[in-house]
């Protein structure tokens, strides 16, 4: 299986600027609370478990799987 290249927080934020997209709009488009996305991108949330994990994986910060198990955190 091919592993995709992970991005840094700065690269993701630069992509948002280049695309004219806000953290809030990305969060809403992907079904997340803007505060969680902001926390992951600012390093306040590690992205280890729960919703923060899902955000980190979808942003490309972390290699992982999103598994729906019925619990949030």
């Amino acid at each position: 299986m091919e592993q995709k290249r992970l991005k840094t927080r700065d690269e993701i934020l630069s992509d948002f600027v280049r695309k004219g997209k806000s953290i809030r709009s990305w969060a809403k488009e992907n079904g997340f609370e803007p505060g969680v996305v902001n926390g992951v991108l600012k390093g306040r949330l590690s992205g280890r478990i729960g919703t923060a994990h899902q955000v980190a994986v979808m942003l490309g910060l972390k290699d992982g799987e999103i598994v729906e198990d019925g619990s949030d955190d």
Side-chain angles (χ1 to χ4, degrees), residues 9-44 55 59 61:
R9 287 176 171 86
D10 288 339
E11 288 173 327
I12 293 167
L13 291 170
S14 292
D15 283 348
F16 282 174
V17 170
R18 187 173 47 80
K19 294 174 183 175
K21 184 171 290 286
S22 69
I23 292 171
R24 180 178 183 77
S25 67
W26 185 92
K28 293 295 184 185
E29 288 170 9
N30 289 281
F32 297 114
E33 290 294 323
V36 175
V37 177
N38 207 9
V40 170
L41 285 172
K42 302 295 181 179
R44 289 188 305 271
V55 168
L59 286 170
L61 277 173

